[in-house]
Amino acid sequence: MKKSQGEDHPKFRKNNGIFRSFRAILCLFLAVSLIAGCQNGAGQKGEPSILLGFSQIGSESAWRLGNTRDIEEQAENYGVSLMFENANQKQENQIAAIRRFIAYQVDVIAFSPIVEDGWDNVLLEAKEAGIPVILVDRDISTEQEGLTTCLIGADFYKEGLMAGEYLIRKADSLGLDHLNIVEITGTDNSTPMRQRQAGFADAIANDERMVILESIDGDFIKSRGEECMRSLLEKYGDEIDVVYSHNDEMTLGALPEIEKKGLIPGKDIIIISIDGGQDAIDVLKEGKINCVVECTPKLGKEVMETAIKLKAGEKVEGIIHPEEQVFSDEMNLSEIGPRGY
Ligand code: GZL
């Protein structure tokens, strides 16, 4: 059997002694350069490093996975040490993670609260420990003052408004005089669910053509989107003119159920979605979705810059909303480039 080019190969053995000492020198050189070149927290040599504790909701959607990737990449870019915990869709896991961050005495805590209520106690503990907290993506509701420093995330109410405004334009362009709408909402009591619902309802409130037949909780999850659509079709059948879905995962779960009924999504039923991930944009280009409102998951740059400012004792903005756009069948869809999530 042919030997590999390993250490026992005759050619290799002859030079082994010289190779060993060269390898030792190389390792020593690498070790020294790593220590000397090590960058700290704010990316400056010698500055105190910063340890950021981040509690992520879970892995429920392409959006969430994209958000996690971006947080990790930006922590690397900014030289921020990241303690990252995935809560697997459970608030109690997020609370436990925040308590671990406090015990570990991280410099800053950041988290995306899965729902708006139930954070006062643990955030009071962080405040008493003198650890500033950044809200990422979603908000909390509290009567307490000063529990958090900054909210970095989308304007979900505006996303809902843009979805409703698109539908009004679509009804006008098709000359429709009545539209029965079903809404598949995100996680109950979450900021995106509450505000996307409110923004959409306000946008269509004065348009008598629009009727919301039912809103049903799809929890931002694909399989629930499928179940919700199946149930709505059983109840309303081809009375449904519009599906307004709070995220792409649920939309992509719903489409096959529409097709199973012999209906053509994007034609027989107007489909409106939110997030703007690659899968949904591809389906938009196929004509099976009519409108996708963008909700960027790329919040990591702002999170790291804010954390570094907080560590340095600098003031930070109370709210940072990223710019977002609408992708729809009103535009030249070939202009939409790769989405990255
Ligand atoms: C929105 C984010 C939502 C996404 C969903 O910022 O909180 O959660 O729209 C994700 O895809 O599950």
Side-chain angles (χ1 to χ4, degrees), residues 60-61 63-64 137-138 156 192 196 220 246-247 275 295:
E60 76 282 0
S61 65
W63 189 99
R64 189 63 57 199
D137 171 31
R138 301 184 184 181
F156 304 120
R196 286 171 180 168
F220 286 129
H246 287 190
N247 88 327
D275 275 350
C295 176

Side-chain angles (χ1 to χ4, degrees), residues 56-57 59-65 67 89 112-114 136-138 153-156 159 186-187 190-193 196 219-221 246-250 274-276 295-297 299 324:
Q56 178 61 290
I57 287 176
S59 313
E60 76 282 0
S61 65
W63 189 99
R64 189 63 57 199
L65 295 174
N67 179 244
Q89 311 314 116
S112 178
I114 186 167
V136 179
D137 171 31
R138 301 184 184 181
D155 182 344
F156 304 120
E159 291 172 353
T187 306
S190 70
T191 314
M193 176 266 169
R196 286 171 180 168
D219 204 18
F220 286 129
I221 291 170
H246 287 190
N247 88 327
D248 295 344
E249 294 305 308
M250 300 188 297
I274 302 180
D275 275 350
C295 176
T296 181
L299 306 171
E324 295 178 324

Side-chain angles (χ1 to χ4, degrees), residues 1 11 22 32 50 60 68 78 90 103 107 144 164 179 190 224 235 251 264 278 293-294 302:
M1 177 191 286
K11 177 178 175 302
F22 173 70
V32 169
I50 168 170
E60 76 282 0
T68 293
Y78 279 81
K90 289 184 171 48
D107 296 303
Q144 300 281 342
L179 284 165
S190 70
R224 284 286 298 126
K235 194 167 178 181
T251 304
I264 304 172
Q278 191 61 57
V293 177
E294 181 184 33
E302 291 76 12

Side-chain angles (χ1 to χ4, degrees), residues 164-195:
E165 289 160 359
Y166 164 80
L167 184 57
I168 291 169
R169 296 195 301 273
K170 186 69 176 177
D172 293 345
S173 69
L174 295 176
L176 301 174
D177 57 12
H178 183 83
L179 284 165
N180 286 327
I181 303 161
V182 293
E183 180 182 26
I184 305 177
T185 74
T187 306
D188 191 29
N189 186 28
S190 70
T191 314
M193 176 266 169
R194 283 180 163 174
Q195 296 185 8

Side-chain angles (χ1 to χ4, degrees), residues 90 116 209 211 234 237 278 286 288 290 325:
K90 289 184 171 48
E116 292 196 343
R209 296 173 295 181
V211 174
E234 280 161 13
Q278 191 61 57
E286 290 169 17
K288 293 184 180 178
N290 302 92
Q325 60 186 306

